[in-house]
Amino acid sequence: MILYHGSNIEVKNPQILKSRKFLDFGVGFYLTSDYEQAKRWAVRTADRRKSGRATISVYDVDENDFKDLSVLTFESANKEWLRYISYYRTDISANDLYDIVKGPVANDQAIRTVNDYLKGRFTEDIAIQLLLPQKLKDQYAFKTEKAICVLKLTEVKHL
């Protein structure tokens, strides 16, 4: 499987940055199987940080390596996914025991719905109804050093 990481720098040695809190799946090294999604992340990160250059680091992952890891997968933006990302977006001390979490990414449009849900403007059922028609891309959060070890950098693309 090929996964992409978009940033303002090339990432030869992935790290889990504890300072990056309140992300969908908590602290971790985030990747996607969608090249265009990684490209958007790279451009956005370079623009936001006003340094570096939009860069995509490409990793090869042998899915057989997942069998020795604790993996949580959300197939869609369902109630369990909404509860999980709500937990991480609101609790600075949030933590779990998964090595990898995979599921839909709350993109700009989806995050508005999630934020409205968190503020109590939508019920869980309404939030899910609003999220279902969206074509959300995937994301993988590699949350432990054990998980990071299965990533093999194969290429770096400067945009």
Side-chain angles (χ1 to χ4, degrees):
M1 168 174 58
I2 301 297
L3 295 176
Y4 306 98
H5 177 80
S7 185
N8 64 322
I9 59 170
E10 62 184 66
V11 182
K12 291 181 181 177
N13 299 303
Q15 297 177 12
I16 299 167
L17 302 177
K18 302 292 183 194
S19 63
R20 300 278 327 245
K21 295 180 180 8
F22 301 117
L23 300 174
D24 287 354
F25 299 151
V27 173
F29 182 69
Y30 281 73
L31 301 109
T32 180
S33 66
D34 185 88
Y35 180 83
E36 291 302 317
Q37 176 73 20
K39 185 176 176 181
R40 284 189 293 278
W41 285 342
V43 169
R44 180 178 290 167
T45 301
D47 287 346
R48 187 178 61 239
R49 294 184 180 162
K50 305 275 189 256
S51 68
R53 178 177 173 190
T55 303
I56 297 175
S57 300
V58 183
Y59 298 89
D60 185 36
V61 179
D62 184 344
E63 289 183 80
N64 289 323
D65 291 338
F66 284 13
K67 70 179 184 259
D68 296 325
L69 300 171
S70 175
V71 180
L72 175 62
T73 301
F74 296 101
E75 297 297 334
S76 65
N78 57 28
K79 287 182 181 182
E80 290 75 24
W81 172 84
L82 181 61
R83 290 175 192 145
Y84 191 88
I85 67 169
S86 296
Y87 174 66
Y88 276 104
R89 288 191 168 270
T90 59
D91 186 353
I92 195 164
S93 65
N95 197 9
D96 60 38
L97 301 176
Y98 295 104
D99 296 305
I100 299 172
V101 179
K102 174 192 177 220
V105 61
N107 62 20
D108 291 343
Q109 185 176 349
I111 202 59
R112 284 187 214 108
T113 300
V114 171
N115 285 338
D116 283 341
Y117 164 74
L118 292 173
K119 292 174 184 172
R121 293 184 184 137
F122 297 143
T123 65
E124 191 174 73
D125 289 332
I126 291 173
I128 294 301
Q129 285 177 352
L130 292 169
L131 290 166
L132 284 177
Q134 298 183 34
K135 292 179 173 51
L136 301 177
K137 304 298 183 186
D138 68 5
Q139 63 183 335
Y140 292 74
F142 284 66
K143 298 170 64 86
T144 64
E145 292 302 322
K146 185 177 174 183
I148 293 283
C149 288
V150 305
L151 297 172
K152 294 167 185 62
L153 182 70
T154 60
E155 184 179 2
V156 174
K157 298 181 179 196
H158 298 285
L159 305 177

